[in-house]
Amino acid sequence: MADQRKRVNREISGENVRTRAETKEVEGHLPSKEAIASKSKELPSESLFTDSTMYSSDAPNLKHKKAKHEIIRNDLMKVDTTPSQSQMEIAREQELKAAAQKTEMQLTLKTQHKPAINQEQFDKKHGFRRTDLSLARKLFYQIKIMKTWRSLEWMNFLKSRLPIIGWLPAYNWHEDFLRDVVSGIMISIIYIPQGLAYGLMVGIPPIYGIYTGIVGPLIYIFLGTSRHASTGAFAIVAMMVGSVIEQSVTESRLIYNETDRLCCSEITQKPDAEKAIQLSSLIAFFVGVIQVVLGFLHAGLLAVWLSDQLVEGLTAGAAVHVFVSQIQTMTGVRNVPRTSEMFGIIRVIFSIILCYLATETTLDLHLHIIGDIDAGMRAPFLPDFGKTGQIIFSAFSIAIVSFVIHIALAKLTAKEYNYQINVNQEWLALGTMHIVASFFGCFAGGSSLSRTIISAKLGSRSQLTTLVVVIILLIIAFGAAPLFKYLPK
């Protein structure tokens, strides 16, 4: 059908060319309007040829001249009645369009009754053979292609995998550096109490929240494509990791008394710190592996489903979730029950407030402080892979949640400040960040809602803001950590 349409189009174009040529040829033989007017003026009027002149001595010559002038006048009248070039072209185009429509209709009627065929029948009809390559052969083929790359292609590949190579040489040190430094100082001030609190939320020593803000963000500086994403510890992911650790490590016992019946009927023993650190590192490792695999599989298409309404709802829900999670620590009420029922969160909040007011603590705020914080940073270690089966499914859900929140914030800031992000590269950046951080005892994290928005509002221009945060947190971890022992939980 496509070949027949092409043939019809060629015939139409050929007819148009011939029509234009014939029109030009006719125009070449026709006199111009000025010539016609001048000739008309030169012609003698009919009044000159009277009956008296017909009988004069020059009558035969006059008859001959009159006949000649009549012939010329008739020719001029014929020229005036000849259709113009535009009219001829319009008529010809209409005929060609009608012919093309008729031909197309005939082709459509012929192809309407053709049966549909599947991929296998199509391959058989056209003689196409499919070869299913194994993963090793695909890898070998990709390496073979990469061997033919030139320096420019290698540079483009490195820029796509290490975005810092692209933006750092073009960085405006004169105008943007001071702005990034100020933003980094402000973000680090916000991160210090957050990191310590998220470490306690996971169930490990609070200093590991500071470690999480050092190792992972340092990797993201080189691999990330978002200018404003503030990576590190994040409340929702920290709560998910803490829930997995609590279910895997802690032992629970049931007690019943008047106070606990209002809020809960279960008291959990505090987990062993070293076991919790090993388990959080193992979770972070597999979260990173899953994210790297999804990045190589080009799972960035998942970001297409993140509409603006979904992002706004997600951020609002995250804020409510974080607020509710802190009510227990604010009031000093322990062993808050978990619920997934409709409006269950309202019942939990009401029970916490009731327990708080019923224990005669109106004047006593019961502020619990963090306590002693060990300075320094432990040496890298391998996670204990013995409990992989217990956490692998939880690690998958944590990996998805971490990426969704991160990419939602990255898309939000990129849209507002008019720049592009590479979604597949963000998978790889987050995954590599988690894998490397797991060797230092860090727990899984992502982009913080509050820090990312504040970083954007402060006017940070690049990930050098994160580098300033990392430097300040290193100073805190290796020297100034004990100064924060009196921070309330």
Side-chain angles (χ1 to χ4, degrees):
M1 180 176 178
D3 295 337
Q4 293 179 355
R5 287 182 178 176
K6 290 181 180 178
R7 187 169 61 253
V8 170
N9 291 332
R10 286 197 297 268
E11 292 177 358
I12 292 172
S13 60
E15 290 293 335
N16 290 333
V17 172
R18 286 193 293 272
T19 303
R20 293 192 187 95
E22 292 174 359
T23 305
K24 289 182 179 179
E25 185 178 357
V26 172
E27 286 181 348
H29 293 287
L30 293 177
S32 62
K33 293 182 179 180
E34 291 79 3
I36 294 171
S38 61
K39 287 183 179 181
S40 299
K41 292 179 181 178
E42 293 175 0
L43 291 175
S45 61
E46 293 183 359
S47 61
L48 296 176
F49 301 98
T50 57
D51 293 338
S52 60
T53 57
M54 295 291 292
Y55 296 100
S56 63
S57 60
D58 295 331
N61 294 331
L62 291 174
K63 286 182 179 181
H64 179 71
K65 289 181 179 181
K66 184 177 180 181
K68 185 177 180 180
H69 290 156
E70 289 291 339
I71 293 171
I72 293 173
R73 188 182 295 276
N74 292 333
D75 291 339
L76 292 175
M77 294 296 293
K78 289 180 181 179
V79 170
D80 291 337
T81 58
T82 303
S84 63
Q85 177 185 358
S86 60
Q87 293 176 348
M88 293 174 63
E89 289 183 354
I90 291 172
R92 186 61 179 171
E93 287 179 359
Q94 290 177 352
E95 292 177 1
L96 293 175
K97 284 182 180 179
Q101 290 177 357
K102 184 177 180 181
T103 306
E104 187 175 359
M105 186 179 296
Q106 291 176 354
L107 293 175
T108 305
L109 292 174
K110 288 180 180 179
T111 56
Q112 274 181 350
H113 302 289
K114 286 186 177 180
I117 59 175
N118 55 25
Q119 186 66 46
E120 184 179 355
Q121 294 171 345
F122 180 84
D123 295 342
K124 185 177 180 180
K125 180 179 179 181
H126 296 280
F128 179 74
R129 293 184 179 181
R130 292 182 174 272
T131 55
D132 295 329
L133 298 178
S134 62
L135 182 61
R137 289 187 177 182
K138 289 180 181 179
L139 184 61
F140 176 77
Y141 180 72
Q142 186 64 32
I143 294 174
K144 186 178 179 181
I145 293 177
M146 293 175 69
K147 286 182 179 179
T148 62
W149 284 0
R150 298 179 180 178
S151 58
L152 181 61
E153 293 169 331
W154 277 108
M155 183 58 66
N156 292 332
F157 175 76
L158 290 177
K159 284 183 179 180
S160 63
R161 295 300 177 222
L162 291 172
I164 192 173
I165 298 177
W167 62 262
L168 188 59
Y171 184 75
N172 191 341
W173 294 91
H174 180 69
E175 296 183 2
D176 299 337
F177 180 69
L178 182 60
R179 189 188 298 268
D180 285 342
V181 170
V182 174
S183 300
I185 294 173
M186 298 300 296
I187 297 300
S188 62
I189 293 173
I190 297 172
Y191 185 87
I192 292 170
Q194 283 187 350
L196 297 173
Y198 296 156
L200 293 173
M201 191 180 297
V202 172
I204 58 179
I207 191 63
Y208 284 88
I210 302 296
Y211 299 161
T212 304
I214 295 174
V215 183
L218 188 61
I219 302 299
Y220 186 82
I221 292 172
F222 295 91
L223 301 178
T225 59
S226 175
R227 301 176 189 173
H228 302 97
S230 180
T231 52
F234 180 49
I236 295 179
V237 179
M239 283 188 292
M240 294 178 70
V241 175
S243 176
V244 176
I245 293 175
E246 185 177 355
Q247 294 174 8
S248 303
V249 178
T250 59
E251 297 179 357
S252 60
R253 58 187 178 88
L254 298 177
I255 66 168
Y256 299 95
N257 55 42
E258 296 299 327
T259 303
D260 290 323
R261 286 178 184 175
L262 291 173
C263 294
C264 59
S265 60
E266 184 178 5
I267 291 182
T268 56
Q269 295 178 351
K270 188 176 181 180
D272 181 67
E274 186 60 29
K275 291 182 179 179
I277 293 170
Q278 289 287 341
L279 198 58
S280 65
S281 300
L282 184 64
I283 294 171
F285 178 81
F286 280 104
V287 166
V289 170
I290 292 169
Q291 289 176 338
V292 168
V293 170
L294 291 175
F296 281 119
L297 294 177
H298 295 279
L301 293 174
L302 295 175
V304 176
W305 303 100
L306 299 178
S307 61
D308 294 340
Q309 293 79 8
L310 178 62
V311 171
E312 293 173 0
L314 182 65
T315 53
V320 174
H321 197 69
V322 172
F323 170 73
V324 173
S325 67
Q326 298 302 310
I327 294 179
Q328 178 182 358
T329 306
M330 291 167 59
T331 58
V333 177
R334 295 176 295 175
N335 308 317
V336 178
R338 294 182 176 85
T339 179
S340 58
E341 300 175 1
M342 185 178 296
F343 303 109
I345 189 172
I346 299 176
R347 189 181 66 181
V348 170
I349 295 174
F350 177 75
S351 62
I352 291 174
I353 296 174
L354 184 61
C355 289
Y356 178 72
L357 297 176
T359 53
E360 298 179 354
T361 57
T362 307
L363 299 178
D364 189 2
L365 297 178
H366 290 286
L367 291 178
H368 299 281
I369 62 174
I370 292 177
D372 295 332
I373 302 175
D374 297 329
M377 197 167 183
R378 67 183 296 173
F381 63 93
L382 285 175
D384 184 11
F385 295 96
K387 294 187 177 182
T388 301
Q390 298 180 12
I391 57 92
I392 187 64
F393 296 105
S394 299
F396 185 82
S397 61
I398 292 172
I400 298 298
V401 171
S402 173
F403 172 76
V404 168
I405 296 174
H406 168 78
I407 203 64
L409 293 173
K411 287 181 64 177
L412 193 66
T413 54
K415 181 180 178 181
E416 183 175 356
Y417 294 94
N418 194 22
Y419 65 91
Q420 298 293 327
I421 60 172
N422 188 338
V423 182
N424 291 319
Q425 180 62 23
E426 291 299 312
W427 275 113
L428 298 175
L430 280 181
T432 308
M433 180 183 82
H434 282 121
I435 291 174
V436 176
S438 66
F439 300 134
F440 293 86
C442 304
F443 52 88
S447 290
S448 170
L449 171 63
S450 59
R451 298 196 305 271
T452 300
I453 299 300
I454 291 174
S455 176
K457 296 300 181 183
L458 289 175
S460 60
R461 302 296 185 185
S462 67
Q463 280 295 322
L464 286 182
T465 300
T466 304
L467 181 61
V468 175
V469 175
V470 169
I471 293 172
I472 295 175
L473 292 181
L474 280 171
I475 297 172
I476 298 298
F478 283 95
L483 299 177
F484 297 94
K485 64 179 293 184
Y486 294 105
L487 282 177
K489 290 185 178 181

